[in-house]
């Protein structure tokens, strides 16, 4: 019982570490993040009490995101696509993507001018839709991975028993600043030495070899990038390709993007874009997607995503496509895999019922 109480106390203190400071309090001097993910899900279900196979379907999803931000310019490239199939025959598809270049006339300001390209495709469209856009906007994004690593350093030092309370907020931010300037250090040893000095100065504790090695491991850890920020854009565009074969139009276009990291273990990404000719109520296209990822343990991750595409052609009814997924994956050499097989038979059943499902997700970058 005593050991359980100590464990619960440590878990509580670790939780406070993530809550004591907001991830978005840190601003990186330069942001360069790239992420690519491929996921697959399939389910086979045959109920012995019904004729034929009840479920024999699956879906394949791919996502790509690239973000760069500096004092004077930045760009975003992203896209998501999904293919659904039944009995291994494709039944639907949904894809959307875009690229935006941002120029900030005033260094480190939020105001920018932009130019970009937006594209969409789905089985509800006659052809892909492609638009070019220019305009102005407000907002920035920042890589907060260094602060996530600083918080993880505080957590690990607590678990090791080196310190008995989370590091102060100002120390966490100072450690994040050091990690964010990694390219300025000749060796990783020099960077870790500076972090060691910050920890010892804030706690009055001399770090041993094991604690120093832990600092180095966390600094070198790859993956689980975190970002914060937002951007609102408004401008005009031109249809290079109309998705329904209508005449090409000048369009009004707006978009909103946001990224939140509530702690070092999770990431929420939001994107929405709306465009159409000047008669927006009669003809418009809305695309939106959201994704949430949370690291549960060192080898397991919860991933949820949703995509919406609504196309309203002139004089016709709107068509809407949805795609949503939820997965709990376990890391098996770079891929998260979940396999479930079950069979049931109750009194009076004509035979055995089989339920087989498999899903997999892989980080490509």
């Amino acid at each position: 019982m005593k050991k359980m109480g100590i464990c619960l106390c440590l878990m509580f203190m670790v939780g406070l570490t993530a809550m004591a400071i907001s991830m978005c309090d840190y601003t990186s001097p330069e942001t360069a993040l790239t992420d690519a993910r491929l996921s697959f899900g399939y389910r086979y279900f045959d109920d012995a009490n019904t004729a034929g196979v009840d479920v024999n379907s699956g879906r394949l999803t791919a996502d790509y995101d690239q973000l760069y931000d500096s004092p004077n310019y930045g760009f975003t490239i992203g896209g998501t696509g999904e293919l659904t199939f039944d009995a291994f025959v494709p039944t639907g598809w949904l894809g959307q993507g875009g690229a935006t270049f941002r120029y900030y006339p005033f260094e480190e300001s939020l105001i920018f001018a932009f130019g970009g390209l937006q594209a969409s495709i789905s089985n509800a469209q006659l052809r892909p839709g492609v638009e070019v856009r220019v305009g102005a906007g407000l907002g920035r994004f920042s890589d907060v991975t260094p602060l996530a690593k600083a918080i993880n350093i505080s957590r690990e030092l607590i678990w090791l028993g080196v310190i008995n309370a989370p590091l102060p907020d100002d120390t966490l931010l100072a450690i994040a600043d050091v990690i964010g300037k990694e390219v300025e250090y000749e060796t990783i040893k020099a960077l870790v030495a500076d972090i060691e000095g910050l920890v010892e100065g804030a706690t009055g504790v001399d770090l041993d070899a094991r604690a120093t090695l832990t600092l180095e491991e966390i600094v070198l850890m790859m993956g689980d990038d975190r970002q914060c920020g937002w951007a609102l854009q408004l401008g005009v565009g031109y249809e290079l390709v109309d998705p329904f074969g209508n005449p090409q139009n000048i369009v009004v276009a707006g978009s909103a993007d946001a990224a939140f990291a509530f702690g070092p273990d999770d990431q929420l990404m939001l994107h929405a874009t709306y465009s159409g000719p000047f008669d927006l109520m009669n003809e418009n296209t809305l695309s939106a997607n959201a994704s949430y990822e949370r690291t549960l343990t060192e080898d397991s991750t919860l991933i949820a995503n949703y995509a919406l595409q609504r196309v309203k052609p002139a004089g016709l009814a709107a068509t809407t496509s949805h795609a949503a997924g939820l997965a709990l994956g376990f890391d098996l050499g770079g891929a998260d895999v979940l396999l479930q097989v079950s069979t049931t038979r109750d009194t009076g059943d004509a035979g055995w019922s089989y339920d087989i499902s498999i899903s997999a997700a892989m980080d490509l970058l």
Side-chain angles (χ1 to χ4, degrees):
M1 182 65 69
K2 183 177 180 181
K3 290 182 178 180
M4 181 177 294
I6 293 173
C7 182
L8 291 175
C9 182
L10 286 173
M11 291 177 65
F12 177 73
M13 287 190 295
V14 169
L16 285 180
T17 303
M19 296 172 60
I21 187 172
S22 169
M23 291 288 293
C24 298
D25 287 342
Y26 173 78
T27 301
S28 61
E30 184 178 89
T31 296
L33 298 172
T34 303
D35 183 55
R37 172 172 284 270
L38 182 67
S39 61
F40 167 79
Y42 174 78
R43 187 184 180 208
Y44 176 90
F45 176 60
D46 184 8
D47 190 335
N49 298 302
T50 61
V53 177
D54 297 86
V55 180
N56 183 13
S57 62
R59 69 184 197 131
L60 179 68
T61 304
D63 297 280
Y64 178 83
D65 291 289
Q66 184 176 0
L67 169 67
Y68 179 81
D69 191 273
S70 67
N72 287 117
Y73 72 94
F75 63 84
T76 304
I77 301 173
T80 181
E82 176 174 285
L83 174 66
T84 58
F85 47 90
D86 186 53
F88 296 102
V89 176
T91 57
W93 52 90
L94 169 65
Q96 51 189 279
T100 301
F101 178 84
R102 300 182 299 276
Y103 172 68
Y104 296 89
F106 309 105
E107 189 170 308
E108 298 184 358
S109 70
L110 296 179
I111 301 172
F112 62 84
F114 77 89
L117 181 74
Q118 192 75 25
S120 65
I121 185 173
S122 79
N123 54 298
Q125 299 177 195
L126 296 178
R127 65 185 69 180
V130 183
E131 299 174 5
V132 290
R133 301 175 180 180
V134 294
L138 191 69
R140 276 188 182 272
F141 290 91
S142 180
D143 179 9
V144 298
T145 307
L147 181 55
K149 291 185 177 182
I151 294 175
N152 283 332
I153 285 173
S154 180
R155 286 179 171 181
E156 289 299 318
L157 292 179
I158 292 175
W159 281 110
L160 290 174
V162 177
I163 59 177
N164 53 20
L167 294 172
D169 290 358
D170 57 348
T171 303
L172 292 174
L173 289 172
I175 293 174
D177 284 335
V178 171
I179 297 175
K181 298 175 181 176
E182 181 179 349
V183 294
E184 299 179 11
Y185 285 84
E186 293 183 2
T187 65
I188 196 67
K189 298 293 184 184
L191 184 148
V192 171
D194 282 354
I195 296 176
E196 184 178 357
L198 289 170
V199 173
E200 292 178 347
T203 63
V205 176
D206 292 331
L207 301 187
D208 57 19
R210 182 178 62 165
T212 302
L213 181 60
T214 298
L215 300 185
E216 184 173 338
E217 290 175 349
I218 294 175
V219 170
L220 293 174
M221 190 176 297
M222 302 297 291
D224 295 333
D225 292 330
R226 302 290 180 245
Q227 60 177 286
C228 280
W230 55 273
L232 299 175
Q233 298 180 171
L234 182 63
V236 295
Y238 181 74
E239 288 182 314
L240 297 180
V241 181
D242 186 275
F244 288 89
N246 296 323
Q248 297 159 302
N249 287 316
I250 295 175
V251 298
V252 179
S255 69
D257 294 89
F260 302 98
F262 304 103
D265 300 320
D266 63 3
Q267 178 75 70
L268 174 65
M269 303 287 292
L270 304 170
H271 171 72
T273 179
Y274 184 81
S275 66
F278 293 106
D279 186 9
L280 276 173
M281 299 303 296
N282 186 45
E283 184 177 356
N284 56 73
T285 299
L286 169 67
S287 297
N289 58 69
S291 65
Y292 178 76
E293 181 176 328
R294 181 171 183 83
T295 302
L296 302 178
T297 67
E298 185 177 347
D299 298 319
S300 62
T301 305
L302 175 69
I303 303 167
N305 53 67
Y306 171 75
L308 163 71
Q309 187 168 295
R310 181 184 183 275
V311 180
K312 171 64 173 69
L316 299 176
T319 59
T320 304
S321 301
H322 300 269
L326 180 65
L328 176 61
F330 299 91
D331 187 7
L332 299 176
D336 298 329
V337 179
L338 178 63
L339 172 65
Q340 179 177 318
V341 180
S342 63
T343 178
T344 59
R345 184 174 183 177
D346 296 326
T347 302
D349 285 353
W352 290 93
S353 297
Y354 298 93
D355 193 344
I356 305 172
S357 65
I358 182 172
S359 62
M362 178 179 295
D363 284 321
L364 302 179
L365 294 173

